[in-house]
Amino acid sequence: MTTPVRFLDLQAIYREDQAAYDAAYRRVMDSGRWLLGPELEAFEAEFAAFLGRRHVVGVGNGLDALALALQAAGIGPGDEVIVPAHTFIATWQAVRLAGATPRPVEPSPGGFNIDAAGVRAALTPATRAVMPVHLTGQPADPAAIAALCEAHGLVLIEDAAQAHGARHQGRPVGGFGRAAGYSFYPGKNLGAFGDAGAAVTDDDALARALRQRRNYGSLQRYAHETEGVNSRLDELQAAFLRVRLARLPEHNARRAAQAARYAEALAGVPGLTLPAPVPGDEPVWHLYVVRHARRDALQAALAAAGIDSLVHYPRPVYRFPPFAGAAPAGRSASDRLCDEVLSLPIGPHLGLADIDRVCDAVRAFCTGPTTP
Ligand SMILES: *Cc1c(COP(=O)(O)O)cnc(C)c1O
């Protein structure tokens, strides 16, 4: 049997820069600083420069980045926040944590993301904010959604947890609204070796409010000016993230080359729908998601060939008990999408030969005699 094609290999990412990660560990252990120290300050400055934004505020995880951004922007009980039906559940939970109510929008026809037309159709008198998700690393129509938010006096907070470095019309996502939230969960394009996240903004007052809220509402010990939580990006993770950030452009380029290989090798394969980026967008390919009517059988065939694949996501957020109140009556566009999506392996741990093996197995399944 040939070696398996793994979906994710965090050990490989560690080994690629082991000396630098080990040096970062040593530096922090020798410093005796664990929280709100020089590594966090340096990482915040470096990630801000990477994104071209004024402020990065490191927090404990991506969920907190989104929830704290909403709260710092004044969103709370009684407010509705527009979110995609098809996303990771954290997008909705962030709205709930802020005390507001998520209002779902279905993905645009043929796509995975919401667009400005879908947002416009979902507006109500209670709508106060919009939280689009740049799912799988593809920009979610951010310029048009920003214009709509401007016209209606709505707060735009981008969920950029899967889109570190993606660009729309030449501009990095995460810079179209009032603030954006990033996750550094280990499997993300920019991942820590544990949990971490950040909120980013160009707004000085909002950045200050975020710095307070992540640390019990205080910038100075025992001076608590606002409500807050304990959600800090620790020194060790910040030091590791600095190493991984330096690699991010190269890692994103490897993902793009792999996506191009998939697009070329799988074009025209019967029954298979490939991801189609909006022309002019530069996605960062956090995931490579294809669609097939017999998704489960395709996944089983890949597994038999030693190829990992995953389903992102098995059902829309409103099909989970905590959010069932927001579910539509009939079968939705998200329901249909969730039945067909399959994420093929992509990432810096793979080579183009691995992608070719996946393509061979996918093609064999789609053109094979057992496929009706
Ligand atoms: C990963 C993710 C989050 C949450 O990030 P955590 O760091 O896991 O809290 C939020 N939204 C989306 C779309 C994500 O993929």
Side-chain angles (χ1 to χ4, degrees), residues 27-343:
R27 199 167 66 235
V28 173
M29 298 314 276
D30 286 341
S31 79
R33 285 292 295 268
W34 317 115
L35 291 166
L36 302 178
E39 296 291 339
L40 178 60
E41 225 171 87
F43 171 68
E44 288 178 338
E46 287 159 12
F47 194 47
F50 173 81
L51 295 172
R53 309 231 51 195
R54 279 175 65 78
H55 304 285
V56 168
V57 180
V59 296
N61 53 68
L63 172 64
D64 285 351
L66 295 168
L68 295 176
L70 286 167
Q71 288 179 323
I75 306 300
D79 298 335
E80 277 183 11
V81 180
I82 289 180
V83 292
H86 183 64
T87 180
F88 182 56
I89 196 167
T91 312
W92 289 51
Q93 280 170 334
V95 174
R96 268 286 164 81
L97 274 176
T101 304
R103 183 171 196 82
V105 168
E106 296 298 321
S108 66
F112 296 101
N113 284 324
I114 63 171
D115 62 12
V119 172
R120 187 181 296 108
L123 296 177
T124 77
T127 309
R128 285 281 317 282
V130 182
M131 191 180 276
V133 180
H134 307 300
L135 203 67
T136 79
Q138 313 271 351
D141 203 17
I145 290 178
L148 184 74
C149 287
E150 184 81 22
H152 289 83
L154 305 174
V155 174
L156 171 58
I157 310 275
E158 296 166 78
D159 180 341
Q162 300 189 3
H164 316 78
R167 286 169 175 265
H168 174 70
Q169 298 176 352
R171 288 168 56 197
V173 303
F176 286 83
R178 191 82 195 283
Y182 286 84
S183 165
F184 309 124
Y185 176 78
K188 301 288 160 86
N189 289 34
L190 176 59
F193 293 93
D195 275 317
V200 310
T201 182
D202 285 339
D203 181 324
D204 296 348
L206 192 73
R208 188 171 194 280
L210 284 162
R211 288 184 197 288
Q212 288 174 328
R213 280 180 182 274
R214 74 175 172 189
N215 188 38
Y216 299 114
S218 87
L219 296 174
Q220 258 180 309
R221 185 168 300 193
Y222 306 135
H224 307 282
E225 294 172 47
T226 64
E227 294 201 19
V229 297
N230 173 3
S231 186
R232 300 171 296 221
L233 200 175
D234 69 73
E235 287 290 285
L236 209 44
Q237 297 303 335
F240 293 150
L241 282 164
R242 295 179 67 193
V243 177
R244 188 125 179 229
L245 177 61
R247 274 278 183 201
L248 182 60
E250 189 196 327
H251 281 180
N252 280 348
R254 267 186 233 168
R255 291 174 183 272
Q258 292 163 7
R261 189 69 151 242
Y262 274 134
E264 197 190 325
L266 296 177
V269 170
L272 193 72
T273 306
L274 302 180
V278 173
D281 277 357
E282 294 168 55
V284 288
W285 300 105
H286 173 59
L287 300 170
Y288 192 86
V289 181
V290 300
R291 285 157 59 190
H292 194 282
R294 296 177 60 232
R295 186 266 316 281
D296 292 344
L298 172 58
Q299 182 167 35
L302 293 179
I307 294 164
D308 287 352
S309 63
L310 290 173
V311 174
H312 298 95
Y313 294 91
R315 58 184 78 157
V317 179
Y318 46 58
R319 299 297 176 203
F320 293 107
F323 296 108
R331 232 170 97 74
S332 68
S334 296
D335 286 318
R336 287 190 292 276
L337 196 59
C338 290
D339 287 345
E340 295 192 347
V341 288
L342 189 66
S343 303

